Amino acid sequence: MTPTREVYWNITGIWLMYVLLIPTILVFAYGIYRHYRLWRLGRPENRFAPVVERVRGLLVYALGQGRILRNIYGGLFHALIFFGFVALFIGTVVVMIHEDFGLRIMQGNFYLFFQSLSLDIFGLLCILGVLIALFHRYRLRPGRLNNTWQDPVVLGWLLAVLVTGFMIEGLRILATQDPWAAWSPVGLVVGRVLSSIAPPEFFLALHVFLWWFHLALAFGLIAWLPFSKLLHVFTAPANIYFRSLETKGAMLKPIDLESAESFGVKTIDQFTWKGLLDLDACTECGRCQDVCPAFA
Ligand code: SF4
């Protein structure tokens, strides 16, 4: 028997998922477009070359989390959440290729080692990352962090997506007597915990409810992303790609006090498009404040 699993086990009316995907994508695209329109208001600035150097920075600082890992707490939780969600995203793409495109790749050793074991581990590390972020923000409370209503909502939402994902997996493993359950250790443990509190006759109904709830959470998060701090998922890598490659300090241009018509910027169109992108990429992490002499 080849190791695999039925993707939409116990779920009917899957067409509804594709219908719900349409407004999700539309709202997401509209949110991104609003920011794009704002950046277009800025003055022109050439930040496009050299491509190789810029791509290298993208790989080191965005994909490799190079700069962020210098901060032990902030770096650790961010890396755990980032790599966890990257892995889970790849897992979702694998499901799409397997189920929607009919290319049966989700089977055999790939299914066991990547789609089951690795994704379980990455999902668990992701939960750990969210918990460290909550501990860091609300227990350690570093003075540089400015807490807003979005912070607990974003972290709670991520946690809910991850936990419901494991609950769905656990219920499926138990209800189907999955012969490869040991390859999904986190889902298996969650399933056993659920079985100790919920009677087996509720498993199927609970699984259906949690499956749609998990989908609503995931789609809702995607739609909200461009309107929230999570926008930095896109703006931070873009900001890294278009960063200044000049020597530090070389950007400061002398001000001609005699003939300058204005100093600094007064209206939004006096920023460059990159300056406006910078504004959108800020996550209010407070690290710039940490090194600001006026704050020390
Ligand atoms: S501008 Fe300051 S607060 Fe914003 S992301 Fe950069 S370091 Fe963090």
Side-chain angles (χ1 to χ4, degrees):
M1 193 162 50
T2 309
T4 187
R5 72 174 168 86
E6 189 185 338
V7 170
Y8 297 125
W9 172 81
N10 194 36
I11 304 300
T12 53
I14 206 67
W15 56 269
L16 185 59
M17 180 184 77
Y18 296 101
V19 170
L20 292 173
L21 190 57
I22 296 170
T24 302
I25 292 173
L26 287 177
V27 174
F28 173 84
Y30 172 67
I32 295 289
Y33 172 69
R34 270 169 41 122
H35 289 281
Y36 173 73
R37 233 176 25 185
L38 184 77
W39 305 330
R40 297 255 318 183
L41 293 177
R43 289 190 288 111
E45 185 177 12
N46 190 354
R47 290 290 186 93
F48 300 96
V51 172
V52 174
E53 176 67 9
R54 293 186 180 283
V55 170
R56 195 190 68 82
L58 198 61
L59 294 176
V60 174
Y61 299 122
L63 207 59
Q65 300 281 283
R67 206 169 277 167
I68 211 156
L69 280 167
R70 288 180 199 161
N71 178 298
I72 180 70
Y73 270 111
L76 180 66
F77 84 70
H78 194 276
L80 289 174
I81 296 173
F82 173 79
F83 289 118
F85 270 101
V86 167
L88 294 171
F89 175 74
I90 295 171
T92 307
V93 172
V94 167
V95 169
M96 194 175 78
I97 293 172
H98 179 89
E99 191 67 21
D100 296 318
F101 299 162
L103 284 173
R104 301 282 152 186
I105 56 173
M106 208 178 79
Q107 54 188 357
N109 283 339
F110 177 70
Y111 170 73
L112 294 179
F113 284 100
F114 178 72
Q115 203 70 5
S116 299
L117 185 60
S118 300
L119 291 194
D120 252 41
I121 292 170
F122 274 111
L124 183 64
L125 291 177
C126 213
I127 289 179
L128 188 64
V130 175
L131 294 178
I132 295 173
L134 286 166
F135 181 78
H136 181 238
R137 185 171 281 274
Y138 297 108
R139 185 74 193 177
L140 298 181
R141 294 169 182 258
R144 64 184 164 84
L145 280 185
N146 175 30
N147 288 321
T148 67
W149 66 268
Q150 277 204 33
D151 301 305
V153 174
V154 166
L155 292 172
W157 204 324
L158 294 178
L159 198 58
V161 169
L162 293 162
V163 171
T164 51
F166 277 125
M167 291 169 87
I168 295 164
E169 183 181 46
L171 288 168
R172 177 190 57 77
I173 287 173
L174 288 193
T176 60
Q177 303 278 306
D178 189 341
W180 299 286
W183 290 87
S184 304
V186 185
L188 183 60
V189 169
V190 172
R192 289 203 173 137
V193 170
L194 284 173
S195 71
S196 68
I197 50 181
E201 56 269 29
F202 288 138
F203 280 8
L204 295 186
L206 187 59
H207 176 269
V208 170
F209 170 76
L210 285 172
W211 195 93
W212 286 106
F213 183 53
H214 176 78
L215 184 90
L217 285 173
F219 280 12
L221 196 61
I222 293 168
W224 185 48
L225 190 150
F227 305 92
S228 71
K229 283 175 93 167
L230 286 172
L231 176 71
H232 79 277
V233 170
F234 296 105
T235 49
N239 210 19
I240 289 167
Y241 183 84
F242 295 117
R243 74 196 187 283
S244 167
L245 297 178
E246 290 183 42
T247 315
K248 293 278 176 286
M251 289 165 65
L252 296 175
K253 301 201 171 45
I255 300 173
D256 185 349
L257 296 171
E258 300 295 326
S259 57
E261 287 175 11
S262 65
F263 303 108
V265 288
K266 201 160 62 179
T267 57
I268 195 158
D269 53 7
Q270 288 176 324
F271 283 101
T272 65
W273 65 265
K274 176 61 172 60
L276 296 175
L277 176 63
D278 288 351
L279 293 176
D280 269 345
C282 176
T283 54
E284 297 172 44
C285 74
R287 278 181 300 164
C288 53
Q289 187 166 283
D290 249 4
V291 291
C292 173
F295 181 71

